[in-house]
Amino acid sequence: MAPGPLRILCLSGPNLQLLGRREPEIYGSDTLEVIHERLRRAGAAAGAEVECRQSNHEGELVGWIGEAMGTRDGLLLNPGAYTHTSYALYDALRAVGVPCIEVHLSNPEAREPFRRRSRVAAACVGKVAGFGSGSYDLALAGLVELLTRGSRAA
Ligand code: DQA
């Protein structure tokens, strides 16, 4: 196990910068900044450095996943609508082999039919969905648990 804190990267995809104002009846009232701050604090308390980023661009998300190879111990990923379309994100997750938890505020499988399929799920070790912004917190707790009882990236 590498010394020092666990290194976790949390990525959020398109339209999630609008959280707090975007369809609050579905996604709740917390902004992404509030969620990110909570993750950094909870991570620090659990011995993890959590860095959080958001992008509306698939290629940028793919690039950030690629950077995680050998530099991060785990990933949290809410791909937004790219969940349902992106083979590029699936391939990126497979390529880096860094354990990733898929995160959704809503429960996509209980919504419109096009949301019922996740293209990234098969490249993730787990998924947390349907707990509003709390899905991110639960996913972080699960990832830390997984990483501390498993082995760390070099
Ligand atoms: C989402 C669910 C997706 O279907 C949707 O496109 C989003 C948000 C969620 O967090 O619930 O943008 O990923």
Side-chain angles (χ1 to χ4, degrees):
M1 197 186 235
L6 291 169
R7 303 155 300 175
I8 292 171
L9 182 60
C10 174
L11 300 178
S12 294
N15 301 310
L16 293 165
Q17 83 282 8
L18 298 175
L19 281 182
R21 289 177 292 150
R22 174 193 182 193
E23 299 180 276
E25 67 287 0
I26 296 176
Y27 297 115
S29 55
D30 285 347
T31 64
L32 195 57
E33 289 70 28
V34 162
I35 295 169
H36 286 175
E37 183 55 26
R38 235 170 37 218
L39 291 178
R40 284 190 288 266
R41 282 174 196 268
E49 263 169 19
V50 183
E51 188 184 339
C52 302
R53 302 180 190 169
Q54 186 275 334
S55 177
N56 293 321
H57 303 278
E58 186 176 16
E60 190 158 43
L61 294 164
V62 166
W64 288 340
I65 292 169
E67 282 174 22
M69 194 175 200
T71 67
R72 307 286 178 165
D73 299 297
L75 292 167
L76 302 176
L77 175 63
N78 182 349
Y82 291 138
T83 305
H84 317 297
T85 61
S86 182
Y87 294 112
L89 288 175
Y90 169 85
D91 274 353
L93 292 170
R94 283 274 185 208
V96 301
V98 176
C100 179
I101 311 275
E102 181 181 344
V103 183
H104 300 285
L105 296 107
S106 66
N107 179 3
E109 289 172 10
R111 298 178 61 195
E112 302 96 314
F114 79 88
R115 297 187 203 276
R116 291 190 193 141
R117 180 191 297 246
S118 168
R119 302 285 181 197
V120 301
C124 292
V125 294
K127 179 184 331 201
V128 180
F131 296 93
S133 70
S135 292
Y136 281 87
D137 307 281
L138 293 167
L140 176 63
L143 183 59
V144 168
E145 159 72 13
L146 186 91
L147 293 172
T148 49
R149 74 178 150 78
S151 60
R152 295 269 305 272

